[in-house]
Amino acid sequence: MDALPPLELLDCVGSTNDEARAAARAGAAHGWCVAARRQSAGRGRRGHVWASPEGNLYLSVVLRPQVAPARLAGLAAACGIGAARALRAVAPAGDVRLKWPNDLLARGRKLAGILVEVEGGAAVCGIGVNVAAAPAELGAIGLDELGAHPGFSELAATLRDSIVGQVDAWSDAGGERPLDGVLDDYLALLAWRGEKVRALATDGTEVARGTLDGVDAWGRAVVDGVAYASERVSLRLAR
């Protein structure tokens, strides 16, 4: 991997994704990254507000993958694999897994969330990682609880380097479908595979209930043989 730009480390920012998108528009190189200890205007998937208290890490990296537009739907999966591998290295006791489509779990509880945004010829991968501030009542867990205490800059660099490295490997693998080159790795990290899940529409209504077979090469969750796109549903464990 070529040398990457220096990390931009901040105490507080409105949104690291907004900072990275502005940097991308200004020509920031592949791998440019900003990390903050707190966000005042963080956001998650589907425009949801992302609570961003001090004590955690919020990071966004500019990505310029050399892939055909039809493959860009696999970028989030590549980023997720890179982030999961970084967090597994930092917290080996956590059994970090990917919860389709955009969360990372440790010991079955939410450790981090990812938001990938594509604009023009660049993309931004944002990730928020619970370090110290992880409300158990919300089903969250932090690195502190896992016995992992990396420094702020060390954690930021580990995440950035792993995400960029995985995106480069996915890009270099070629193929025509979005997850070509990373599907096996994604499935190996997938949470809830073989377990009973509920597929919920954006309004919270249940679309399906069944066994999570896995994820297909287009990045869709497959429940009892039926594929569902992340724009349509999210998954919950069936209790």
Side-chain angles (χ1 to χ4, degrees):
M1 184 167 60
D2 294 336
L4 296 175
L7 295 169
E8 300 282 338
L9 303 176
L10 306 172
D11 285 329
C12 182
V13 70
S15 161
T16 59
N17 259 32
D18 287 347
E19 292 290 314
R21 289 172 66 188
R25 287 192 292 269
H30 179 65
W32 185 94
C33 180
V34 59
R37 300 174 188 275
R38 183 169 69 87
Q39 294 184 124
S40 59
R43 64 179 183 280
R45 185 166 167 257
R46 295 174 178 166
H48 294 167
V49 173
W50 182 275
S52 307
E54 189 170 358
N56 295 333
L57 179 138
Y58 311 96
L59 174 149
S60 295
V61 56
V62 173
L63 300 167
R64 298 185 183 275
Q66 301 302 302
V67 299
R71 292 198 67 215
L72 277 175
L75 179 59
C79 292
I81 294 167
R85 286 177 169 169
L87 292 171
R88 287 170 78 92
V90 168
D95 188 29
V96 176
R97 298 277 172 180
L98 293 167
K99 174 184 172 288
W100 181 90
N102 69 323
D103 287 340
L104 295 105
L105 307 180
R107 298 180 184 173
R109 293 157 58 192
K110 186 169 180 176
L111 176 65
I114 291 176
L115 175 65
V116 173
E117 298 179 301
V118 178
E119 181 177 319
V124 168
C125 171
I127 179 169
V129 181
N130 297 328
V131 178
E137 66 272 15
L138 298 179
I141 193 170
L143 291 175
D144 282 1
E145 188 174 340
L146 297 171
H149 307 286
F152 176 72
S153 59
E154 174 195 354
L155 179 58
T158 298
L159 279 163
R160 189 274 301 269
D161 292 355
S162 187
I163 289 170
V164 173
Q166 186 60 56
V167 168
D168 288 347
W170 163 73
S171 177
D172 292 344
E176 297 180 356
R177 301 171 300 181
L179 267 62
D180 281 346
V182 297
L183 180 58
D184 289 345
D185 291 335
Y186 191 92
L187 292 174
L189 291 165
L190 182 62
W192 305 347
R193 191 178 183 191
E195 298 187 52
K196 295 292 184 181
V197 297
R198 302 165 62 219
L200 304 179
T202 56
D203 63 1
T205 59
E206 186 174 297
V207 173
R209 180 185 293 248
T211 300
L212 177 60
D213 300 323
V215 170
D216 68 14
W218 286 267
R220 301 173 299 188
V222 182
V223 179
D224 283 350
V226 180
Y228 298 91
S230 60
E231 295 82 7
R232 182 185 174 198
V233 306
S234 58
L235 298 181
R236 300 288 186 274
L237 275 177
R239 301 296 184 182

